[in-house]
Amino acid sequence: MKANDKVDAARVDLLLSELRLSGIKLVWSALAATADKEGWPAARFLAALAEQELADRGQRRFARHLAEARLPPGKTLAAFDFDAVPMISKAQVQALAAGDAWLEKGANLLVFGPPGVGKSHLAAALGLALIENGWRVLFARTTDLVQRLQVARRDLTLEAAIDKLDKYHLLVLDDLAYVAKDQAETSVLFELISARYERRSLLITANQPFGEWGKIFPDQAMTLAAVDRLVHHATIFEMNVDSYRRKAALKKAAGPGRPSARATIKTSS
Ligand code: ADP
Ligand code: MG
C-alpha cells in the first residue's frame, strides 16, 4: 500500500456516524479486509456495504415496531392450534397476515367468542405477523386505551391523541366488552372508531357479538352508528368453541395414559 492510500479508520467511523450509516460502520473494516484480500472490484465492495446497511435498517425498524406494539409475548401463529377452532381457516388468517388487502383500505377484523378460546392469542399473533411484514401495530387492552383517551379529552387533546394513533396501520382493541360503564359516558371510543373509519384498521376482540354493546356507548343511536362503521368493511370471526384454557387444564389433569374423557375439573362459578 502506498503511503497516501492509507485511510484513517477513525475518520471513516466518524464520517459514517455523521451520515448515520451504522450498519456500514459495523462491518466496513472487516469487509474492506476481505475485499483487499480477494481483490474485489470497488463496485462489489460498495454493493456489499449498501446491502449491509439496508439489512441492518430493516432489522432495527422491526425491533422498533415490535417494541412499540406492546404485544403480549410468545403468541405466534405457529403456536396457534387451528384445529381447536374449525370455523377459522388458517389460509384466511395467513392472508390477513399479509396485510395489504385490508389494512390498505382501513377494513376491520372483529373476533368474537367466550373467554379462553384464543381471541387475544390470535390478535397478538396476527399483529406480530403484520409487523414482520412491515406494518405498524399497537395492541391495547380496550379499557386502558379508553382511559388514556379520556384523560386526553379532559386535557382537551383528544383529537391529537387519536391522530397520534394514525401511525398504526392496525390498532388492536382487546376485550371491548370490559369497558366499564363510567367509561362509556364520554364516548371517546366512538370518536376513535369514527376517526379511523375507512382509513385505519381496527381489530376488536369481544365476548359478545354486538348484543351487549349498548353498555359500551352512551346511547343506542351511538351504538348503532359505531357498529355500522365497524362492520361496513369487516371480517368477522366467531370462535364459538370450548375454552382452550379449560381443555388444556383437563388434559393436564388427566395426565399421560389416562383417557381425558374421564377427567373432571372443578369450576367455581
Ligand atoms: P381469549 O382472549 O379468547 O380469552 P386467550 O387468547 O387469552 O383467550 O387464550 C387463553 C390461553 O389459551 C392462552 O394462553 C392462549 O395462548 C391459549 N390458546 C387459546 N387458543 C389456542 C389455540 N387455538 N392454540 C394454541 N393456544 C391457544
Ligand atoms: Mg383475551
Side-chain angles (χ1 to χ4, degrees):
M1 194 184 275
K2 283 177 277 161
N4 58 359
D5 279 351
K6 271 234 169 89
V7 178
D8 181 351
R11 170 96 183 123
V12 173
D13 278 344
L14 226 96
L15 289 170
L16 292 171
S17 288
E18 188 74 13
L19 290 165
R20 298 179 196 286
L21 295 169
S22 59
I24 294 181
K25 191 179 161 192
L26 220 61
V27 298
W28 77 266
S29 79
L31 258 182
T34 308
D36 285 344
K37 203 173 97 207
E38 297 181 2
W40 288 4
R44 178 171 171 194
F45 177 55
L46 182 61
L49 289 178
E51 263 162 32
Q52 177 64 35
E53 181 63 29
L54 210 61
D56 190 70
R57 281 185 191 188
Q59 263 170 28
R60 275 182 290 139
R61 189 181 317 113
F62 172 71
R64 214 167 48 238
H65 290 176
L66 188 62
E68 75 180 4
R70 297 166 184 254
L71 299 172
K75 306 299 179 193
T76 61
L77 286 179
F80 191 79
D81 173 12
F82 283 90
D83 292 342
V85 274
M87 61 283 279
I88 292 183
S89 117
K90 188 174 180 177
Q92 191 180 8
V93 171
Q94 278 163 345
L96 288 170
D100 330 14
W102 62 302
L103 297 185
E104 259 164 23
K105 58 176 188 181
N108 302 316
L109 177 59
L110 309 176
V111 181
F112 300 124
V117 296
K119 301 183 298 295
S120 300
H121 184 139
L122 191 63
L126 249 179
L128 177 62
L130 287 166
I131 294 168
E132 282 167 352
N133 288 323
W135 301 94
R136 292 178 76 178
V137 175
L138 178 67
F139 186 104
R141 284 176 48 204
T142 311
T143 57
D144 293 347
L145 188 76
V146 164
Q147 220 159 47
R148 264 171 48 203
L149 292 179
Q150 278 184 315
V151 170
R153 161 158 281 181
R154 272 198 296 276
D155 299 344
L156 305 177
T157 55
L158 179 63
E159 210 183 310
I162 288 177
D163 282 354
K164 249 179 126 176
L165 295 170
D166 259 11
K167 68 179 179 208
Y168 300 108
H169 302 102
L170 179 67
L171 177 57
V172 179
L173 299 179
D174 196 31
D175 276 329
L176 183 74
Y178 293 129
V179 172
K181 185 76 191 153
D182 66 315
Q183 289 183 326
E185 311 298 331
T186 56
S187 75
V188 289
L189 201 53
F190 182 76
E191 307 269 336
L192 176 68
I193 290 166
S194 301
R196 289 181 78 91
Y197 176 59
E198 290 190 324
R199 291 191 313 108
R200 287 281 186 242
S201 299
L202 290 165
L203 191 171
I204 293 180
T205 79
N207 288 338
Q208 297 285 339
F210 309 123
E212 298 280 301
W213 287 29
K215 292 182 191 152
I216 299 167
F217 299 96
D219 59 58
Q220 204 196 354
M222 203 178 273
T223 308
L224 284 176
V227 171
D228 204 54
R229 282 169 177 73
L230 286 175
V231 301
H232 186 194
H233 310 282
T235 301
I236 298 181
F237 284 166
E238 294 212 51
M239 301 168 77
N240 289 319
V241 291
D242 286 339
S243 161
Y244 194 88
R245 261 190 221 116
R246 197 176 132 83
K247 274 190 297 195
L250 277 169
K251 236 190 207 160
K252 212 167 151 194
R258 281 171 57 197
S260 63
R262 293 181 54 194
T264 53
I265 185 164
K266 287 199 180 84
T267 49
S268 49
S269 52

